[in-house]
Amino acid sequence: MTDPYESSGSLPLPEIHGHGLWLRPWDADSEGDVQAWLRGYADPEFQRWNTPLRAMTDLADAQESLRVRAKAAEEAVGASFCVTDATDGVPLGHIGVNDIDHVMRVARVGYWVLPDARGRQVATRALDLASRWAFGELGLHRLELGHALGHEASCRVAERCGFLYEGTLRGAMFEAGRADAFRDVHLHGRLATDAGLSVP
């Protein structure tokens, strides 16, 4: 295990290969990446289960959002990967290791999959890869995953990747499209010491 942020304060993001996927850093200067990022956030299913803190309505907003993600990596507090098909590099979705606390060795993970890539266990495969990287290369001890109550697809992804259900957090996230009402969240957690997994 290395400590990539120890001397520079930044978190160099690698390219991660496995399970038929290629995880790479998002590129705010890539038109294709910016378009994929905007498509992900504009997707009605994403909007149903998430309420972004910053509005994103056009390519300029999406580009700025990706630059914020890059800044989080520079500050060693976040790692955002574009999930692509290993054979052709087509973007399929996103996986992030966020709110990294290097003292407590804990972080929160989040993901989404583009509509045309669903039904192929993209989120499950990407979450497994990102989790192994976070535990191995970053030396984290605990990863947390939260999703809106009722989001059964996300719950299944968490369980398939060994993120145990740990309870319900009351009023822990905004209702869809609102910043004046709250809804409950399922909390899942996985430890570096938990048993290994077998995924496709």
Side-chain angles (χ1 to χ4, degrees):
M1 179 185 72
T2 61
D3 189 359
Y5 46 81
E6 183 178 46
S7 58
S8 66
S10 65
L11 184 60
L13 300 186
E15 295 185 356
I16 305 173
H17 299 266
H19 303 324
L21 299 177
W22 167 32
L23 277 55
R24 60 168 177 79
W26 287 94
D27 182 359
D29 294 319
S30 163
E31 183 178 350
D33 277 17
V34 174
Q35 290 176 343
W37 187 257
L38 182 59
R39 277 200 302 137
Y41 273 71
D43 172 51
E45 189 68 8
F46 175 87
Q47 296 280 341
R48 176 185 177 192
W49 298 111
N50 302 274
T51 303
L53 298 180
R54 299 183 182 185
M56 190 185 310
T57 59
D58 55 28
L59 291 175
D61 290 340
Q63 185 175 49
E64 178 57 27
S65 178
L66 285 179
R67 285 178 174 152
V68 170
R69 296 279 178 160
K71 188 173 187 296
E74 292 174 1
E75 296 175 350
V77 295
S80 296
F81 296 96
C82 179
V83 181
T84 74
D85 188 288
T87 59
D88 55 22
V90 171
L92 305 175
H94 162 75
I95 183 83
V97 181
N98 312 305
D99 301 327
I100 301 172
D101 183 333
H102 297 290
V103 176
M104 294 302 298
R105 294 164 58 195
V106 63
R108 296 183 65 86
V109 293
Y111 46 82
W112 48 259
V113 176
L114 291 168
D116 52 353
R118 290 180 186 143
R120 296 158 49 186
Q121 292 199 344
V122 170
T124 299
R125 292 182 284 152
L127 179 57
D128 183 71
L129 291 174
S131 298
R132 293 178 188 276
W133 172 75
F135 289 135
E137 294 302 313
L138 297 187
L140 298 184
H141 173 66
R142 174 178 169 84
L143 291 176
E144 296 179 349
L145 188 161
H147 64 79
L149 188 68
H151 194 346
E152 297 303 325
S154 193
C155 204
R156 289 192 296 271
V157 169
E159 291 172 347
R160 281 197 294 262
C161 286
F163 283 75
L164 302 180
Y165 170 66
E166 297 182 340
T168 299
L169 305 178
R170 296 176 302 146
M173 71 182 294
F174 288 133
E175 287 281 1
R178 300 179 61 177
D180 61 347
F182 297 85
R183 55 183 162 178
D184 295 348
V185 170
H186 264 185
L187 176 65
H188 297 258
R190 183 179 173 190
L191 304 181
T193 52
D194 287 343
L197 305 174
S198 175
V199 299

